[in-house]
């Protein structure tokens, strides 16, 4: 890492790795799935793989990271999943949102957030995410004092991953925006009807991104779609659905202030 580059707080690897076996024991028991010798062996292999992958995260520069510890933890579910498939266990019945978000998670093993791994892991994860957002934003400035009469612009944020959502919120707040969470179109409709939303920041990977863009169009709210990779296909798709801008996630986190509507 460069000498002047902000550092991430403590390693995240040990906390996530330690949670792997207890989480899977609880989850397999809750779902009434077999804890056979084959499955236990796969879990042991998955824990080793997870530890190695997370060690790479902990030793990397914040600016070089392309995924977070929760995403890697979710990927580590492929080890027990493969073992359950080999055991002939029938797949779980999942809704369309879950299938879209994690298509390979056929037994619904993957945690939806780090909160599912315990409060201590959640605390480590959120601290890591906030620090990474600050590093990517180039050491965000402290908020400037505001007049009591000043209007604070507000952004809606629609991002299902809590780590990414926290990073977006930090970038928005550093740019002077208050934030409101949108989880679904109904919540977006209610939010838009009860308070002024100056801009919506919507994840391109959100299962209902298209419907949220429809709300923005009806309510005349400028929408910025944030994608992992804002390629030509993503640009064409989301601009045609009414987005005013389609931008890469890292670019937005690092330069949100230059992309947001100006309000006084």
């Amino acid at each position: 890492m460069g000498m002047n580059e902000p550092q991430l707080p403590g390693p995240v690897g040990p906390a996530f790795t330690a949670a792997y076996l207890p989480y899977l024991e609880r989850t397999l028991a809750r779902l009434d799935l077999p804890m056979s010798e084959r499955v236990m062996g796969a879990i042991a292999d998955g824990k080793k793989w997870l530890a190695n992958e997370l060690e790479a995260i902990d030793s990397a520069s914040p600016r070089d990271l392309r995924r977070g510890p929760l995403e890697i933890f979710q990927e580590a579910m492929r080890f027990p999943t493969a073992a359950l498939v080999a055991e002939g266990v029938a797949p779980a019945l999942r809704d369309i949102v879950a299938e879209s978000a994690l298509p390979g998670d056929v037994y619904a093993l993957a945690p939806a957030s780090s909160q599912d791994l315990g409060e201590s892991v959640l605390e480590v994860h959120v601290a890591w995410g906030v620090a990474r957002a600050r590093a990517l934003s180039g050491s965000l400035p402290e908020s400037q004092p505001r007049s009591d009469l000043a209007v604070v612009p507000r952004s809606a944020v629609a991002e299902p991953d809590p780590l990414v959502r926290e990073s977006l919120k930090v970038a928005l707040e550093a740019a002077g925006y208050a934030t409101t969470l949108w989880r679904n179109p109904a919540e977006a409709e209610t939010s838009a009807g009860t308070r002024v939303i100056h801009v919506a920041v919507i994840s391109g990977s959100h299962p209902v991104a298209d419907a949220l863009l429809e709300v923005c169009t009806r309510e005349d709210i400028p929408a910025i779609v944030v994608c992992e990779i804002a390629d030509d296909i993503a640009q064409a798709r989301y601009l045609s659905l009414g987005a005013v801008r389609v931008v890469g996630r890292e670019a937005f986190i690092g330069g949100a202030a230059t992309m947001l509507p100006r309000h006084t």
Side-chain angles (χ1 to χ4, degrees), residues 1 8 11-14 17 48-62 64-67 72 128:
M1 296 185 187
L8 294 178
V12 293
T17 301
K48 292 176 184 177
W49 178 87
L50 179 65
N52 288 335
E53 293 294 312
L54 292 176
E55 184 178 355
I57 274 191
D58 285 331
S59 61
S61 160
D64 292 338
L65 297 176
R66 292 296 175 265
R67 56 182 182 165
I72 294 173
W128 183 90

Side-chain angles (χ1 to χ4, degrees), residues 142-168:
E142 296 294 330
S143 299
Q144 295 297 317
R146 295 178 178 271
S147 162
D148 289 341
L149 299 179
V151 176
V152 178
R154 180 170 293 275
S155 171
V157 178
E159 167 56 64
D161 184 288
L163 171 61
V164 177
R165 184 168 63 243
E166 188 64 30
S167 297
L168 295 174

